Amino acid sequence: MTPEQDLHSNTDFLDAFLDNLYLEQHVSDNTLSAYRSDLDKFCLFLNAKPLMSVTAQDIESYLAHRVDLGLKPRSTARSISALKRFYQYFVREKVIVESPMLNIAQPKAGQSLPKTLSEAEVEALLNAPNTEEPMGLRDKAMLELLYATGLRVTELVGLRMEQINLRQAVVFVKGKGNKERLVPLGEEAMYWLDQFIKLGRGQMIKHATDFVFPSKRGVGMTRQTFWHRIKHYAILAAVESPLSPHTLRHAFATHLLNHGADLRVVQMMLGHSDLSTTQIYTHVANERLKSVHSEHHPRA
């Protein structure tokens, strides 16, 4: 900020801060827009009170106001980051002596619940591929395997023939951090995997490969390719719930817990090193129980 700048209004201070971000720190247009939005909301709350006379009590009142509005902690955390950076700038420029944000802590954003599918939606998705064609048979086997085992998509597309043991009905997985685990196969997954290996895989392989699920080119499939296949079948099955590459992994864990599976068993099958990572699925299962109770209990 140059000495000749004469800043009076809140708008002047906002512009000076954002100009500095753009000209000297080269932040992106999206980041500038986000800072502008967060700071404009704060100014609106202040109701014309000068930004440079804001106290820690004003900040705490603003955060309480956001809670009253039901805004998400993640959004509030971003707003606090913008305000901290804003006031740090004017401390450096010697406009104020101390930032009102000094003792303001970031709220705990919490862990967002994973998006999952109902059992009926999973059934429709699994039945969408045309198993009369090699590619459809491959996709059917992949979807059944994903739902039966809870594998990560990267683990699924990277599966090699030596990792599959149909006689013992298990798949040997090397997951994150090269941690190894054995995951049992269900009857449906075993059946379709066997069908694909016997009837479809040979027609798809164009070069020597030990990948279980070759791509159209006959080599290993990418995570992105399989994700596009999932979206394709979701459209065919009229599944309207939000999807992610891990949707069937989330459904695997949630449906197991809904049917009474032990949390530590689910943890082992998912390959989570920390039980707290798996516990997020108990929240999803509990939400399902609340929903059923609310819908069917006469006193709900």
Side-chain angles (χ1 to χ4, degrees), residues 125 128-130 135-136 139 143 229-238:
L125 188 64
N130 178 6
M135 188 183 296
D139 294 347
L143 290 170
R229 301 303 294 164
I230 290 179
K231 291 197 289 185
H232 168 69
Y233 291 122
I235 292 170
L236 291 182

Side-chain angles (χ1 to χ4, degrees), residues 9-274:
S9 70
N10 284 346
T11 301
D12 290 337
F13 286 108
L14 290 183
D15 288 344
F17 169 66
L18 294 170
D19 285 347
N20 175 265
L21 288 182
Y22 180 72
L23 296 172
E24 296 185 26
Q25 300 186 43
H26 310 294
V27 303
S28 69
D29 290 341
N30 286 341
T31 303
L32 281 176
S33 178
Y35 274 120
R36 168 68 78 177
S37 174
D38 287 331
L39 294 169
D40 280 344
K41 288 171 186 171
F42 181 56
C43 288
L44 191 62
F45 171 79
L46 291 177
N47 193 23
K49 179 171 182 173
L51 279 164
M52 293 303 116
S53 62
V54 162
T55 64
Q57 288 74 22
D58 292 322
I59 301 292
E60 288 166 358
S61 296
Y62 177 58
L63 298 182
H65 169 69
R66 292 181 64 89
V67 171
D68 291 340
L69 291 176
L71 298 175
K72 292 181 179 179
R74 194 181 302 276
S75 168
T76 295
R78 193 191 71 183
S79 182
I80 288 174
S81 294
L83 287 167
K84 282 188 173 181
R85 196 162 178 178
F86 176 79
Y87 283 109
Q88 283 168 357
Y89 171 68
F90 287 105
V91 168
R92 286 199 308 271
E93 295 297 322
K94 297 183 170 42
V95 175
I96 54 175
V97 175
E98 186 177 84
S99 168
M101 302 297 296
L102 277 181
N103 297 313
I104 303 296
Q106 292 280 20
K108 290 184 179 178
Q111 196 170 5
S112 58
L113 296 182
K115 304 297 182 187
T116 189
L117 301 176
S118 69
E119 291 180 35
E121 286 174 319
V122 169
E123 192 71 25
L125 188 64
L126 297 182
N127 289 332
N130 178 6
T131 56
E132 299 297 317
E133 303 169 353
M135 188 183 296
L137 191 55
R138 178 203 66 187
D139 294 347
K140 171 71 170 175
M142 293 184 81
L143 290 170
E144 289 283 358
L145 185 60
L146 201 58
Y147 182 55
T149 60
L151 296 185
R152 299 176 178 92
V153 173
T154 48
E155 295 169 347
L156 177 74
V157 298
L159 271 183
R160 309 280 181 155
M161 290 299 293
E162 65 267 20
Q163 293 175 253
I164 301 288
N165 189 324
L166 290 178
R167 181 169 296 178
Q168 295 184 11
V170 293
V171 56
F172 174 76
V173 185
K174 189 173 285 189
K176 286 185 177 179
N178 284 328
K179 291 178 181 173
E180 300 172 350
R181 69 188 192 275
L182 276 178
V183 185
L185 294 167
E187 287 185 12
E188 285 289 319
M190 275 185 61
Y191 173 79
W192 289 107
L193 188 54
D194 185 54
Q195 289 294 295
F196 172 65
I197 291 172
K198 286 179 178 175
L199 305 175
R201 186 172 179 272
Q203 296 182 55
M204 297 191 69
I205 293 174
K206 297 172 183 174
H207 312 284
T209 180
D210 60 348
F211 281 110
V212 178
F213 302 112
S215 66
K216 260 199 306 193
R217 292 178 291 121
V219 294
M221 188 188 302
T222 65
R223 184 175 184 270
Q224 290 77 13
T225 297
F226 184 62
W227 171 223
H228 287 305
R229 301 303 294 164
I230 290 179
K231 291 197 289 185
H232 168 69
Y233 291 122
I235 292 170
L236 291 182
V239 173
E240 296 181 355
S241 295
L243 291 174
S244 77
H246 281 322
T247 295
L248 285 177
R249 178 173 163 86
H250 298 326
F252 161 83
T254 306
H255 297 171
L256 275 176
L257 291 169
N258 281 344
H259 287 277
D262 181 83
L263 186 65
R264 288 197 177 275
V265 173
V266 177
Q267 175 195 3
M268 290 171 61
M269 287 193 283
L270 289 173
H272 288 162
S273 56
D274 191 336

